[in-house]
């Protein structure tokens, strides 16, 4: 692994125990920073609106991203389409802190993800299971998040992705060394990464939860299931009182194991994002990019 | 010996792993009731200083921790920890109100002083009081822009101060907890033992 890859994994380590919030304007970015976000994701439309608008969804205008970079001192992330090498190059050129090669945008390539080892800036990628996670890491992702089902306000998919990943990790840990070659074949992932998970009982990179987190309780749930931090997309700025909700989710991630504190945090947050159930939606973003 | 590790946000687990490697007992501080346990020292980890500062204030930890440090409790801050311990900080958002800080060390930290993630780097350099070179990983790191006379600078990289000590307080802009080198932590534990 190169020095750069190591430094990029290290930045993700610094984000642990934190909340990364989707923002669409410098004003929202400032609200997120003041609420205690450890980073922001700059995008033109939050996933719920992407879903509502339909059509092709692309990388945001670099000018808009720069506006957000100027507004805050915390790391700024931005999304590029799966497989869109040129969008990623553009984001690197404006010195983004992390690129999310994201299924939330329309995929640019139905087969290949970006070879992320060719970039100096770090990448986070979504995964539904250990198979996808290890393939993305092999391509150079230095941070993983569950895909969940973005823009729904429904946490069910993030839960099943996180549970599945953790169960697969436990299964690998329990295997004999001579069974790992076959495990790598089954997972369609490189042997050395499979061996790492077997030896260490965790991914070689930080693993966050994402997709459908809308309340402090959702965030605490994901942390209890093994997430090392949380992305909140539509859940904050689609709610009645974004400022208060954002601050409450930040605190819920720190004290995710203290129900009394969580009860206090969950009080009087105003209206939550309305949300839609997974069964009601036409487009499953999580199916994109395997 | 028992060390408290501030565990509000960031890379606190890495510090705990290093302390375990040295056979030192430690516990996480996530709220006031954790802090009230007996302790011989405190570690403030890397992470986002704005996030940690806000949580320190809102969880009612800021004043008790400040008073304990002023009372002589040994403290070791890395990266965000350095910022939180600095009396003054350059490079915060001009538009936003200044984020809360412990502010017990007589120095000014320059925040994000090496730029964005592309400016993050790894190097090796000397550290006063430790033999040989120390591996140093800088992640969106600060450095010490100014320090008063009673702050001793322990390491410099390219002419910039990146580690310092003021009596019971030790800070580094880099992350000894990310490299498998225990010497800076052992240096801190000597301060703890000497108290």
């Amino acid at each position: 692994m190169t020095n750069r890859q190591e430094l990029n994994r290290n930045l993700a380590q610094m984000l642990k125990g934190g909340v990364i919030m989707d923002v669409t304007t410098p004003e929202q970015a400032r609200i997120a920073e003041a609420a205690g976000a450890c980073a922001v994701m700059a995008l033109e439309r939050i996933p719920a609106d992407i879903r509502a608008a339909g059509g092709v969804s692309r990388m945001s205008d670099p000018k808009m991203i720069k506006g957000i970079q100027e507004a805050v001192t915390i790391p700024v992330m931005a999304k590029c389409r799966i497989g869109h090498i040129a969008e990623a190059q553009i984001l690197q050129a404006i010195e983004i802190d992390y690129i999310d090669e994201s299924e939330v945008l329309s995929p640019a390539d139905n087969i290949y993800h970006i070879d992320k080892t060719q970039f100096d800036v770090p990448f986070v990628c979504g995964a539904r299971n250990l198979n996808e996670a290890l393939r993305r890491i092999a391509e150079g992702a230095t941070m993983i998040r569950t895909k969940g089902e973005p823009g729904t306000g429904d946490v069910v998919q993030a839960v099943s992705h996180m549970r599945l990943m953790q169960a697969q990790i436990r299964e690998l840990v329990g295997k004999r060394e001579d069974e790992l070659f076959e495990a790598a074949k089954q997972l369609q992932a490189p042997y050395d990464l499979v061996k790492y998970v077997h030896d260490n009982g965790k991914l070689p990179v930080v693993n966050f939860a994402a997709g459908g987190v809308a309340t402090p309780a959702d965030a605490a749930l994901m942390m209890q299931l093994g997430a090392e931090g949380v992305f909140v997309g539509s859940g904050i700025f689609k709610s009645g009182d974004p400022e208060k909700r954002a601050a409450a989710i930040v605190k819920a991630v720190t004290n995710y194991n203290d129900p009394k504190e969580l009860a206090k945090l969950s009080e009087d947050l105003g209206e939550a994002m309305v949300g839609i159930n997974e069964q009601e939606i036409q487009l499953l973003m999580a199916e994109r990019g395997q | 010996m028992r060390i408290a590790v501030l565990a509000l946000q960031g890379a606190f687990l890495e510090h705990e792993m290093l302390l375990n490697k040295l056979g030192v007992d430690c516990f996480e501080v996530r709220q006031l009731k954790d802090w009230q346990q007996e302790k011989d020292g405190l570690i403030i980890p890397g992470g986002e200083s704005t996030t940690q500062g806000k949580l320190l204030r809102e969880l009612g930890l800021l004043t008790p921790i400040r008073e304990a440090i002023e009372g002589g409790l040994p403290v070791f801050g890395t990266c965000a920890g350095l910022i939180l311990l600095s009396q003054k900080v350059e490079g915060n958002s001009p538009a936003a109100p200044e984020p809360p800080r412990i502010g017990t060390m007589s120095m000014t930290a320059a925040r994000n002083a090496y730029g964005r993630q592309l400016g993050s780097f790894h190097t090796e350099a000397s550290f006063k009081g430790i033999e040989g070179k120390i591996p140093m990983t800088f992640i969106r790191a600060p450095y010490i822009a100014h320090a008063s006379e009673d702050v001793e600078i322990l390491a410099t990289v390219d002419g910039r101060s990146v580690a310092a000590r003021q009596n019971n307080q030790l800070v580094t802009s880099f992350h000894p907890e990310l490299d498998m080198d225990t010497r800076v932590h052992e240096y801190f534990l000597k301060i703890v033992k000497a108290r």
Side-chain angles (χ1 to χ4, degrees):
Chain A
M1 193 174 32
T2 64
N3 188 349
R4 206 63 239 172
Q5 286 258 305
E6 187 64 45
L7 291 168
N8 289 343
R9 288 184 180 190
N10 290 157
L11 175 58
Q13 286 174 274
M14 296 306 139
L15 301 174
K16 282 190 300 179
V19 182
I20 301 168
M21 302 181 192
D22 278 4
V23 297
T24 58
T25 63
E27 184 50 35
Q28 286 185 355
R30 276 191 285 267
I31 291 173
E33 182 176 53
C38 68
V40 289
M41 176 77 69
L43 69 177
E44 263 161 20
R45 278 197 296 238
I46 53 175
D49 291 337
I50 292 175
R51 221 171 246 299
V56 176
S57 176
R58 309 176 178 89
M59 176 190 79
S60 298
D61 183 341
K63 187 176 172 189
M64 170 266 170
I65 298 169
K66 281 194 210 155
I68 287 171
Q69 285 176 317
E70 279 158 26
V72 293
T73 57
I74 54 179
V76 178
M77 304 183 165
K79 292 182 194 290
C80 76
R81 285 180 267 176
I82 290 173
H84 207 311
I85 304 161
E87 283 187 351
Q89 289 165 344
I90 291 168
L91 291 174
Q92 173 159 285
I94 61 169
E95 295 197 19
I96 203 77
D97 290 303
Y98 241 100
I99 296 177
D100 185 359
E101 187 184 15
S102 177
E103 68 282 0
V104 169
L105 306 182
S106 310
D109 193 317
N110 283 329
I111 300 169
Y112 299 106
H113 278 73
I114 296 170
D115 175 2
K116 293 164 276 285
T117 62
Q118 299 305 308
F119 286 78
D120 289 330
V121 288
F123 282 82
V124 54
C125 285
R128 291 178 301 173
N129 47 40
L130 188 61
N131 319 37
E132 291 182 1
L134 294 183
R135 286 199 285 273
R136 298 296 87 77
I137 295 166
E139 292 157 4
T142 50
M143 180 179 184
I144 292 293
R145 54 170 177 76
T146 59
K147 286 179 173 169
E149 197 48 52
T152 59
D154 185 354
V155 81
V156 64
Q157 289 303 320
V159 167
S160 33
H161 299 164
M162 186 56 77
R163 274 200 186 270
L164 177 56
M165 234 185 274
Q166 301 292 348
Q168 287 177 297
I169 290 172
R170 286 194 299 275
E171 198 185 323
L172 268 191
V173 170
K175 282 193 189 296
R176 280 163 52 109
E177 297 237 341
D178 62 1
E179 292 167 344
L180 297 178
F181 301 99
E182 173 63 17
K185 196 169 88 188
Q186 298 290 338
L187 288 166
Q188 296 182 281
Y191 168 79
D192 59 332
L193 291 176
V194 171
K195 176 86 166 59
Y196 180 95
V197 174
H198 169 266
D199 293 349
N200 295 281
K202 62 185 194 69
L203 294 180
V205 304
V206 167
N207 187 14
F208 269 47
V213 175
T215 67
D218 287 349
L221 169 65
M222 295 314 301
M223 293 298 287
Q224 289 185 30
L225 290 176
E228 296 180 279
V230 174
F231 283 86
V232 186
S234 318
I236 289 174
F237 290 101
K238 276 281 163 195
S239 74
D241 188 345
E243 228 160 326
K244 197 167 175 189
R245 183 168 294 267
I249 293 176
V250 168
K251 283 189 229 164
V253 167
T254 298
N255 281 300
Y256 66 90
N257 262 331
D258 182 345
K260 275 193 183 149
E261 183 69 22
L262 293 174
K264 222 162 49 182
L265 294 173
S266 303
E267 263 181 35
D268 201 21
L269 290 179
E271 207 171 320
M273 172 185 180
V274 175
I276 32 175
N277 292 310
E278 193 220 338
Q279 296 83 354
E280 299 165 0
I281 53 181
Q282 303 283 323
L283 173 70
L284 284 175
M285 290 175 175
E287 304 280 334
R288 293 166 163 177
Q290 302 176 13
Chain B
M1 189 197 298
R2 203 151 180 253
I3 304 294
V5 179
L6 193 66
L8 303 180
Q9 189 271 326
F12 46 86
L13 204 62
E14 287 75 353
H15 280 286
E16 292 168 38
M17 281 157 57
L18 237 158
L19 291 173
N20 289 339
K21 201 173 155 189
L22 292 168
V24 174
D25 192 19
C26 63
F27 66 97
E28 293 184 353
V29 177
R30 292 173 185 270
Q31 46 186 284
L32 197 54
K33 68 169 188 253
D34 303 327
W35 175 250
Q36 283 151 353
Q37 300 175 58
E38 284 297 314
K39 65 222 155 250
D40 304 295
L42 167 68
I43 290 181
I44 305 176
E48 273 309 311
S49 60
T50 50
T51 306
Q52 291 188 32
K54 178 172 193 288
L55 287 166
L56 276 172
R57 186 182 60 198
E58 294 191 357
L59 294 164
L61 284 162
L62 199 60
T63 311
I65 288 180
R66 185 184 290 141
E67 285 171 359
I69 295 169
E70 283 167 351
L73 183 78
V75 61
F76 176 22
T78 61
C79 196
L82 179 151
I83 295 168
L84 289 167
L85 288 169
S86 294
Q87 228 158 50
K88 287 187 192 144
V89 173
E90 295 171 353
N92 277 321
S93 304
E98 190 128 336
R101 273 196 312 281
I102 299 164
T104 42
M105 253 178 114
S106 320
M107 58 183 203
T108 305
R111 222 183 130 202
N112 296 337
Y114 296 94
R116 299 183 183 282
Q117 173 61 4
L118 284 174
S120 295
F121 65 101
H122 180 87
T123 188
E124 290 190 342
S126 316
F127 191 108
K128 204 172 169 187
I130 301 177
E131 218 168 295
K133 300 261 174 159
I134 293 286
M136 300 182 178
T137 300
F138 295 82
I139 305 293
R140 285 175 48 100
Y143 58 71
I144 301 160
H146 316 283
S148 82
E149 276 173 13
D150 51 345
V151 175
E152 187 187 9
I153 302 300
L154 299 173
T156 56
V157 169
D158 298 330
R160 285 155 172 175
S161 307
V162 296
R165 177 178 173 182
Q166 184 178 19
N167 305 315
N168 56 323
Q169 306 183 69
L170 175 70
V171 289
T172 60
S173 329
F174 56 93
H175 295 278
E177 75 278 14
L178 291 178
D179 296 296
M180 285 293 121
D181 194 298
T182 55
R183 286 174 294 167
V184 181
H185 283 74
E186 288 171 67
Y187 182 98
F188 172 61
L189 296 174
K190 268 189 220 155
I191 301 177
V192 176
K193 278 184 199 136
R195 195 193 170 204

